[in-house]
Amino acid sequence: MAKKNRPAAPPGAASQDKPATLKDLLNPDVVSKLKAQADQMKAEAEIQREEARKQAEAARKAEQKRLDNNFEYLLNNSGMDWKKYN
């Protein structure tokens, strides 16, 4: 069976038939304020993520420092075979 070529809808007609969007209905000042608020919220979220990352890194370093002062941990995780030195 051969495929039938169907005529495509003209691209200009589709753009004219679009329903009005909320952006079209709102005042441009309101749209700009909303965009500014969204940008501000994104910046605040980025700052919070960065602070959380720094806190996690500080906690990891504190844990490593605690383990470095634990003789049993150092003995168990050293590469040397301490049984040879009895």
Side-chain angles (χ1 to χ4, degrees), residues 6 28 32 41 49 55 58 63 77 81:
R6 294 184 185 176
S32 64
M41 290 174 71
R49 281 194 299 273
Q55 287 178 353
E63 178 67 16
N77 292 318
D81 186 12

Side-chain angles (χ1 to χ4, degrees), residues 3-11 13-14:
K3 292 185 180 179
K4 295 181 181 179
N5 292 335
R6 294 184 185 176

